[in-house]
Each structure stands twice: as C-alpha cells, then as structure tokens.
C-alpha cells in the first residue's frame, strides 16, 4: 500500500491509496477462504469448490468487492496515520479500473480537522504561581492517615452523629410494606447521607436494643416512581452502636503505618510529598494560564461535526462516571429535570472550549514541526501494558492503527504544551 497526499482545500483533503496487484490478489484469496462455504457448485461438496471454479461460475469479479472492502478497512487507518490526518467525516472514494491480475488506486476526499494558524504563542507573559504547603496541610494529611487506621469499637450509650449503627429495618407506605425497604443487620454511619434525607438524624439518641419508628418522605425525583413523594415509616431495631477509636499520634503510630521510626520523620516525609504535588500543581496552573491567553486571542471556526462528536464524548464520559455510582445518564436527566437536548445545549460551551483548545495545540505542533517519536509512543504503550499486565505487542495489536494515532496525537499535544511553558515569560 502506498498513500500519497494530493491537495487540501480548506478542510477537504484529497489523497490516494495505491494497492499492488499482489495485495489485491492476496485479499481475494483471504475473501475466498472466508466465504467459500456460501457457494453451491454442482459436483462439489459445499465449501469444497476451488476458487477458479467459483469465479468461472459466478464471474471473475465475484470476490472483488469484498476484497476491496477488506483492503480499504485495514489500510485506510494506516494511510491516515502515515499522512497525519485527523478526519471528521466519512470519506468519499473514487476507484480506478478494477481488473483481475492488476493493482488499483483509490482517490479519497475527506473532511479533516481545520488547520489553525496560531500567533504569538511563544513568550506569553504570566505571573508565577506558587502553591505553598502549610503546617495545617501536613496535619490534615496525618489526620486522614490516623482515620484510615482507626478501629471500630462497640459502645453502650446513645447513638450520635458519626457513629455506625447495626440495625434491622422494614419500610411501610401506609399499611403496605414496600419492596426493597427491608434489611437485617444493616451497617449505617449516621450523618453519611447514604439513606433517605431525615432517616439517619432520627436515629440519634437511640440506645442498643431499642426500637425506633423513623418517618421520612421520599424525594419527588426518587428513582422508584411508586415511592416518589410519598411518606414512609421504617420500623427499626438497633442492635449495636460503634464509634471510631483513633490511634494515638506518636512514634509508635509512625512505626505502625510507615517505614519511619518517629512521628516527626513521618511529618517531614508527608510535607516533602505535598510540596512535590504543590509544585506540580503550580506548573499545571501556569500552563493553563498560558494556554488561556493564547485561546483568547486565537480565532477558530469549529466544524459542526466536531462539536457534535465532542458532545457525544462528554455524554459518554458522564454516563461512565454515573455508572460507578449505580446511576445512568437517563436517571441523571430525570433527577435534574432536564432532557438530552437541553443537556447538550448546556454543555456546548465546554465542548467548544475543548475542541478549540485541541485545535490550537495541533496548530502549534504543526507550526513547530513537533512530532511524536516511535520511542515516545512505545513508552506510552509500555505504561498501558504494565497497567493491564500485558505484553507490549499484544497491546499494540488490540489498539490498532486508530488508537495508535490518538496516542501519537496525545504525545504531540503534551510536547506543544511543554514548549509554550518553557518559552513563556513568567514573572
């Protein structure tokens, strides 16, 4: 396969893909192997007829279309990668003469991402940002570590907020017990907000072994429509009350939770770690500030298809986040009293900013001739392989040409950001 750039007019790019006679022949062989069971030829068992017999019976071009489709689907992404094209629409293809024993050429016209001319992106003036780590920041981290190593102890007293209670409950609307409103020995931290609003607060003051009727009203937007807006009574029995017992903050604590012998050493290490995070955060904030200034003075005409694609991506991202919480996009829209059209309209501004920012960075990379090296792309794949405990070549095979192109683009984008940061005028 040979890909050749022909021309570009605004966003429409024309290029050709040339296939040799050998490539076309091999594609036909593969198609024959895959589809030979579909042909019934007198004198041959199904799937056993030679390719020459099938071609004689149905015409020598019987496998042409499928072979062309196979070649195009596998080589088109490679051509885009080779020519460094980011397409935003389906391609329009024109084929040269197709004949047995000959190669052919496909001339493709396809809409691509606009090439943005970015000006004055080097030497951008911004104020230096320094995020300081204070003593209370270190103390907060140590307290979080202390809480993570707390143990729950049973207490014989009235329940308070922040206690964890072990209880049975059964819920009724009127005289009818409703489905999903019953549990035994349920663990509930009072004040966590895990139950219906008002439920947890009514258990404050209950002692172990006591019964308590808790009356609540389900929210109007509750996901179970048969309960939404209705008053319910939960008959509760509290078995146990537990409170968090924190370990003493001393040298023994430091030895138990870290590799350090003293609490002072643990605090010093914590401060060092927080300072590294703070410094990295400062750098990211300055990069954002530089990019924001470039963004404000760069005009970009965003194709409608790119904006719609970005909105689709944002909807998918939100849906994935909600699924981790046991929800979905449909329930989210129901809870917020919105619909998909209104949601997309609300997100349009963010989508435009994401697309425009990406096009600006692509423009800087193109103008500076920034490329992702093979080694840099391989490093990205090695990280992915390590995360998923897979071999590098296995990851490459799974990713395919499209995903490899996106990885390459991500590397180029990061290098463009690093360039404008290194060349910025930071006071």
């Amino acid at each position: 396969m040979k890909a050749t750039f022909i021309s570009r007019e605004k966003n429409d790019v024309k290029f050709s893909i040339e296939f040799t006679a050998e490539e076309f022949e091999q594609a036909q062989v593969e198609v024959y192997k895959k589809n030979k069971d579909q042909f019934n030829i007198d004198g041959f068992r199904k799937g056993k007829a030679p390719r020459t017999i099938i071609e004689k019976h149905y015409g020598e071009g019987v496998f042409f279309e499928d072979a062309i489709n196979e070649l195009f689907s596998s080589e088109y992404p490679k051509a885009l990668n080779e020519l460094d094209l980011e397409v935003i629409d389906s391609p329009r293809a024109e084929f040269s003469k197709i004949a047995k024993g000959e190669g052919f050429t496909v001339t493709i016209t396809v809409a691509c991402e606009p090439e943005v001319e970015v000006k004055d992106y080097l030497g951008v003036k911004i104020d230096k940002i320094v995020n300081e780590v204070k003593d209370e920041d270190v103390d907060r981290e140590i307290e979080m570590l202390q809480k993570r190593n707390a143990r729950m102890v049973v207490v014989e007293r009235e329940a308070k907020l922040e206690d964890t209670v072990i209880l049975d409950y059964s819920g009724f609307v009127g005289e009818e017990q409703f489905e999903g409103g019953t549990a035994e020995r349920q663990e509930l931290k009072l004040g966590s907000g895990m139950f219906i609003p008002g439920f947890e607060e009514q258990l404050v003051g209950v002692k172990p072994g006591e019964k308590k009727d808790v009356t609540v009203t389900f929210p109007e937007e509750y996901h179970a429509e048969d309960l939404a807006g209705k008053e319910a009574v939960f008959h509760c029995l509290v078995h146990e009350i537990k409170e968090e017992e924190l370990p003493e903050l001393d040298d023994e604590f430091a030895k138990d939770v870290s590799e350090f012998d003293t609490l002072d050493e643990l605090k010093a290490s914590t401060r060092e770690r927080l300072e590294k995070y703070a410094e990295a955060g400062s750098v990211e904030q300055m990069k954002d500030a530089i990019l924001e200034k470039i963004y404000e003075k760069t005009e970009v005409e965003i194709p409608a298809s790119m904006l719609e694609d970005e909105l689709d991506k944002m909807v998918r991202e939100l849906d994935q986040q909600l699924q981790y919480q046991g929800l979905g996009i449909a329930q989210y829209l129901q809870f917020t009293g919105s619909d998909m059209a209104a949601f997309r309209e609300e997100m349009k501004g963010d989508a435009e900013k994401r697309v425009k920012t990406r096009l600006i960075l692509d423009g800087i990379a193109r103008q500076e001739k920034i490329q992702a090296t093979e080694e840099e792309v391989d490093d990205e794949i090695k990280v992915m392989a390590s995360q998923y405990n897979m071999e590098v070549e296995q990851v490459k095979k799974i990713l395919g040409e499209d995903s490899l192109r996106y990885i390459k683009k991500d590397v180029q984008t990061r290098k463009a950001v690093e360039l404008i940061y290194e060349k910025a005028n930071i006071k």
Side-chain angles (χ1 to χ4, degrees):
M1 181 274 287
K2 179 184 176 183
T4 305
F5 179 84
I6 298 174
S7 64
R8 179 174 188 130
E9 186 176 344
K10 293 186 178 179
N11 294 341
D12 283 343
V13 172
K14 181 179 284 191
F15 66 96
S16 65
I17 304 177
E18 184 179 345
F19 296 102
T20 65
E22 291 76 14
E23 289 170 329
F24 187 31
E25 171 61 21
Q26 185 57 39
Q28 291 177 76
V29 170
E30 296 301 322
V31 168
Y32 160 71
K33 291 177 181 178
K34 189 186 298 183
N35 298 330
K36 61 183 179 178
D37 291 346
Q38 299 176 12
F39 296 93
N40 290 314
I41 306 291
D42 290 341
F44 294 92
R45 282 183 295 152
K46 192 171 183 179
K48 297 299 182 181
R51 176 184 160 197
T52 53
I53 299 298
I54 295 174
E55 289 176 337
K56 186 175 180 180
H57 194 270
Y58 288 93
E60 67 176 15
V62 63
F63 297 115
F64 282 7
E65 183 176 351
D66 287 342
I68 291 169
N69 289 337
E70 289 285 336
L71 281 172
F72 190 79
S73 63
S74 66
E75 302 304 315
Y76 177 66
K78 294 179 184 178
L80 295 180
N81 193 23
E82 185 178 324
L83 299 174
D84 197 21
L85 298 176
E86 291 293 335
V87 301
I88 59 174
D89 207 345
S90 300
R92 305 184 298 278
E94 296 179 6
F95 292 84
S96 65
K97 180 184 175 183
I98 308 295
K100 191 172 181 63
E102 297 181 12
F104 67 93
T105 300
V106 189
T107 302
I108 298 163
T109 304
V110 64
C112 292
E113 291 185 355
E115 291 186 342
V116 177
E117 183 183 357
V118 190
K119 299 178 180 178
D120 304 324
Y121 53 86
L122 300 180
V124 176
K125 294 181 180 180
I126 62 162
D127 292 330
K128 187 178 180 70
I129 297 173
V130 178
N131 293 323
E132 294 183 3
V133 175
K134 301 177 181 178
D135 290 342
E136 50 262 39
D137 298 324
V138 177
D139 291 342
R140 192 180 304 114
E141 284 291 307
I142 298 296
E143 286 170 9
M144 289 172 60
L145 186 59
Q146 183 188 30
K147 280 185 174 292
R148 285 200 296 271
N149 287 274
R151 67 188 186 100
M152 301 302 294
V153 296
V154 177
V155 293
E156 296 295 330
R157 58 165 174 75
E158 294 180 348
K160 302 184 300 185
L161 285 177
E162 302 301 320
D163 284 343
T164 295
V165 298
I166 310 298
L167 77 157
D168 300 340
Y169 61 82
S170 54
F172 291 78
V173 173
E175 299 297 322
E176 185 178 348
Q177 187 172 354
F178 57 86
E179 186 179 350
T182 303
E184 293 183 357
R185 301 197 69 83
Q186 174 75 44
E187 191 173 280
L188 172 64
K189 184 174 182 178
L190 303 185
S192 64
M194 295 299 293
F195 274 35
I196 302 164
F199 185 102
E200 296 167 22
E201 291 77 5
Q202 293 181 55
L203 292 177
V204 171
V206 176
K207 294 179 181 178
E210 283 189 354
K211 294 181 179 180
K212 172 82 173 183
D213 284 350
V214 173
T215 303
V216 297
T217 301
F218 284 97
E220 292 291 341
E221 67 275 11
Y222 194 65
H223 62 85
E225 294 182 5
D226 57 326
L227 296 175
K230 293 183 178 178
E231 185 178 87
V233 176
F234 287 85
H235 303 309
C236 303
L237 169 61
V238 174
H239 294 290
E240 289 182 347
I241 299 171
K242 298 179 180 181
E243 71 175 1
E244 209 174 49
E245 185 176 80
L246 298 175
E248 288 292 328
L249 290 178
D250 53 21
D251 292 344
E252 288 303 314
F253 171 77
K255 290 177 184 176
D256 289 341
V257 302
S258 70
E259 71 272 25
F260 302 105
D261 293 326
T262 68
L263 184 60
D264 287 341
E265 289 174 335
L266 175 59
K267 286 185 175 182
S269 174
T270 301
R271 176 178 288 277
E272 184 180 351
R273 175 170 54 83
L274 290 178
E275 285 175 345
K276 286 181 180 179
Y277 288 153
E279 183 179 359
S282 299
V283 170
E284 290 306 312
Q285 287 175 268
M286 287 187 283
K287 288 177 181 177
D288 288 342
I290 296 165
L291 194 51
E292 186 66 27
K293 287 199 170 186
I294 299 171
Y295 179 95
E296 289 172 355
K297 61 186 178 184
T298 305
E299 293 186 5
V300 179
E301 187 176 337
I302 301 174
S305 60
M306 287 190 72
L307 183 58
E308 290 302 312
D309 286 347
E310 192 64 34
L311 285 167
D312 290 342
K313 181 180 177 182
M314 293 171 76
V315 169
R316 289 195 300 272
E317 288 172 353
L318 177 61
D319 193 37
Q320 289 174 353
Q321 292 169 10
L322 291 168
Q323 285 177 15
Y324 285 122
Q325 303 170 33
L327 298 172
I329 190 70
Q331 286 175 303
Y332 172 80
L333 294 174
Q334 183 181 1
F335 290 161
T336 56
S338 184
D339 57 33
M340 184 57 72
F343 173 74
R344 291 174 73 91
E345 185 63 32
E346 183 182 337
M347 300 297 290
K348 188 175 286 186
D350 289 337
E352 287 177 347
K353 185 159 189 174
R354 283 167 60 160
V355 173
K356 181 178 173 180
T357 300
R358 188 169 72 244
L359 290 174
I360 286 171
L361 290 170
D362 286 349
I364 293 172
R366 186 185 65 257
Q367 290 168 224
E368 292 290 333
K369 295 180 173 56
I370 295 172
Q371 294 291 328
T373 66
E374 192 171 319
E375 183 180 0
E376 288 168 334
V377 174
D378 283 345
D379 287 342
E380 294 290 312
I381 296 172
K382 286 175 185 176
V383 172
M384 296 175 67
S386 175
Q387 288 173 341
Y388 294 102
N389 197 25
M390 297 169 66
E391 296 295 328
V392 170
E393 290 305 316
Q394 187 181 5
V395 173
K396 282 185 178 181
K397 187 174 180 180
I398 292 171
L399 289 173
E401 289 293 332
D402 276 342
S403 295
L404 287 174
R405 193 166 76 253
Y406 292 136
I407 291 173
K408 178 181 174 183
K409 186 65 70 175
D410 284 344
V411 172
Q412 289 176 343
T413 297
R414 288 202 299 273
K415 290 172 76 171
V417 172
E418 288 300 325
L419 173 70
I420 61 175
Y421 174 69
E422 289 169 5
K423 300 294 185 180
N425 183 359
I426 302 173
K427 295 188 294 181

